[in-house]
Amino acid sequence: MKLLLLPGLYNSGPQHWQSLWEASMPNVVRVQQENWEQPELDLWMAQLTRYVDECKDDVILVAHSLGCALAVHWISSLKSSALHVKQVKGLFLVAPPDVGQTTFPEPSFSPMPETRLAVASVVVASDNDPWCDFALSQHWAKCWESEFHSVGAKGHINGESGLGVWEQGQIWLAQLSQNSER
C-alpha cells in the first residue's frame, strides 16, 4: 500500500507531521504541485491523477488542509466504477478547511462536496482550528460517512501544533488501512 501525501496551501514544512511521516515511514510519496502559493483545483486534480496513474500499488490519500479539499473533490469527481476508485483504498483527511469562507484564499476549491465518498475515510479535526469550525468538520464527516476523530485543541493540526511524528494519527491511519483491505 502506497501513501500519497496531499499537503495544503504552501506545502508542509519540515516540522509538519506529513514531512516527518515522509522521512520516517516506508511507501510514502508527497504529491508535488507546481504552484503551492496560488493553487487551482483543476491543476491540482490533474497532478493528483498523474501520481495515482504512475503508482501501480493500491493507495491511501493522506491529506492536510487544502489537500483534504483536493482529495474530496477528486474522489467525488470519479464514477464509482472508475479504475482510480478501485485503486484508492481510503482517504485520511486532517483539518479540512472551510473553503466556503468569504476570506478563503482559494475560491476554486469551493464548495466542498457533501456527498458520500466512494471509499473508506477518516476525518480528524481540532476543537480550535482557525480555518474550520469543529461543527462543520463533524458535518462533513457525517455527509461523507467518514469515521471522525477529535485531537482536542491543536489549532490547524500542522507543524505549529507540536505533534511531532503524531503517533495517534499513525494508529488511525493503520486502522483505516486495515479496514480498507477487507
Side-chain angles (χ1 to χ4, degrees), residues 89-133:
K89 299 300 182 185
L91 305 180
F92 190 72
L93 307 167
V94 180
D98 183 357
V99 295
Q101 289 180 359
T102 55
T103 58
F104 194 76
E106 311 312 325
S108 67
F109 287 79
S110 182
M112 184 76 84
E114 292 190 345
T115 57
R116 181 187 174 278
L117 300 178
V119 298
S121 57
V122 171
V123 173
V124 181
S126 167
D127 298 349
N128 64 341
D129 189 336
W131 287 103
C132 190
D133 185 75

Side-chain angles (χ1 to χ4, degrees), residues 138-158:
Q138 288 178 308
H139 168 75
W140 284 332
K142 186 176 181 180
C143 291
W144 300 332
E145 296 184 21
S146 302
E147 182 178 321
F148 182 80
H149 297 285
S150 170
V151 293
K154 292 291 183 183
H156 196 46
I157 316 177
N158 55 18

Side-chain angles (χ1 to χ4, degrees), residues 22-161:
E22 183 179 25
S24 65
M25 296 169 63
N27 299 321
V28 176
V29 174
R30 181 184 305 242
V31 174
Q32 294 291 340
Q33 298 294 345
E34 290 184 31
N35 191 337
W36 291 107
E37 287 76 32
Q38 297 175 329
E40 288 291 330
L41 179 59
D42 291 341
L43 297 175
W44 278 34
M45 285 178 48
Q47 187 72 339
L48 174 54
T49 299
R50 280 191 284 281
Y51 272 78
V52 173
D53 284 345
E54 291 172 4
C55 183
K56 304 305 177 205
D57 299 326
D58 289 340
V59 300
I60 291 181
L61 304 181
V62 179
H64 176 258
S65 191
L66 196 59
C68 296
L70 168 63
V72 172
H73 276 284
W74 186 80
I75 204 77
S76 296
S77 73
L78 303 175
K79 299 205 182 318
S80 61
S81 61
L83 203 53
H84 291 123
V85 172
K86 293 174 177 33
Q87 186 178 4
V88 175
K89 299 300 182 185
L91 305 180
F92 190 72
L93 307 167
V94 180
D98 183 357
V99 295
Q101 289 180 359
T102 55
T103 58
F104 194 76
E106 311 312 325
S108 67
F109 287 79
S110 182
M112 184 76 84
E114 292 190 345
T115 57
R116 181 187 174 278
L117 300 178
V119 298
S121 57
V122 171
V123 173
V124 181
S126 167
D127 298 349
N128 64 341
D129 189 336
W131 287 103
C132 190
D133 185 75
F134 187 76
L136 183 56
S137 295
Q138 288 178 308
H139 168 75
W140 284 332
K142 186 176 181 180
C143 291
W144 300 332
E145 296 184 21
S146 302
E147 182 178 321
F148 182 80
H149 297 285
S150 170
V151 293
K154 292 291 183 183
H156 196 46
I157 316 177
N158 55 18
E160 296 170 4
S161 299

